[in-house]
Amino acid sequence: MPARPRRYWLVKSEPELYALGDLERDRRTAWEGVRNYQARNSMKDDMAPGELVLFYHSNAEPTGVVGLAKVASAAHADETQFDPESDYYERGATRADPRWMCVDLAFVERFAKVVTLAELKADPELDGMLVTRRGMRLSVQPVELGHFRRVLALARARTKLPK
DNA sequence: GCCAACGTTGGC
DNA sequence: GCCAACGTTGGC
């Protein structure tokens, strides 16, 4: 049976709520609180352990891709839906019939420099990348391999220092 | 803080 | 099933 091709992803997070630095400290976390069906379906149906994830800071200064994470579990129920104290509580969701699913993410690396949204938008090789689309709010989104590689190249480019 | 873009809700 | 109203996301 042929292995299915590896996929690449981008997740958004507001650093005031959960920054890449928090993931670095925690090493691994359940990607809870996603309440959008398209994003949920990506986690439930399409993400596989080991796949790489661009970690993007939204509502930040600057906004952009700040590092890399990887998928660290199969999909499982998002526990916050069962907690009446949680902002993400979902009335009627049960463990037998959960509505919201998530995966665990693990820290991989922090980029030496942020690849800003402005850079992403300005790069012709990234034409069509979802995160650059105006009004694109999807918080878990697929990334084409070519775009993924290009973002890594931008992250690893170094300014030439004068002699 | 503004507001455009989008997703969801609910009246009909 | 339509669609207006509303709430949220997220860039700027």
Side-chain angles (χ1 to χ4, degrees):
Chain A
M1 191 170 64
R4 84 159 175 70
R6 171 173 283 264
R7 294 181 170 117
Y8 298 86
W9 304 98
L10 178 147
V11 298
K12 295 181 191 172
S13 190
E14 298 195 26
E16 286 197 18
L17 301 180
Y18 196 87
L20 182 63
D22 295 309
L23 183 60
E24 185 170 15
R25 176 199 63 215
D26 297 341
R27 311 309 301 172
R28 173 178 176 151
T29 195
W31 204 244
E32 295 172 328
V34 173
R35 292 295 181 268
N36 168 283
Y37 288 104
Q38 201 177 341
R40 176 203 69 178
N41 290 345
S42 287
M43 292 197 284
K44 179 165 75 75
D45 301 327
D46 296 331
M47 280 182 160
E51 290 180 343
L52 294 171
V53 181
L54 299 173
F55 199 101
Y56 178 93
H57 280 173
S58 60
N59 270 322
E61 188 48 56
T63 65
V65 180
V66 293
L68 263 188
K70 70 179 174 191
V71 179
S73 78
H76 55 82
D78 176 335
E79 289 297 317
T80 62
Q81 72 193 299
F82 307 126
D83 176 6
E85 303 295 304
S86 169
D87 287 346
Y88 300 113
Y89 180 62
E90 181 77 29
R91 197 181 177 77
T94 62
R95 284 173 205 283
D97 185 20
R99 174 168 303 183
W100 300 108
M101 306 290 284
C102 64
V103 297
D104 292 358
L105 294 184
F107 178 81
V108 174
E109 70 170 274
R110 168 188 298 281
F111 293 156
K113 70 183 196 70
V114 179
V115 183
T116 65
L117 178 60
E119 284 178 83
L120 299 175
K121 284 182 168 173
D123 191 318
E125 291 190 38
L126 296 177
D127 275 358
M129 190 178 181
L130 288 179
V131 74
T132 66
R133 284 215 335 231
R134 187 154 170 272
M136 166 52 65
R137 302 186 308 175
L138 192 60
S139 66
V140 176
Q141 52 182 258
V143 175
E144 294 170 22
L145 174 57
H147 291 166
F148 183 86
R149 282 156 122 70
R150 180 63 180 160
V151 172
L152 286 194
L154 293 173
R156 291 180 175 143
R158 293 291 185 281
T159 307
K160 279 184 185 154
L161 297 173
K163 292 237 160 78

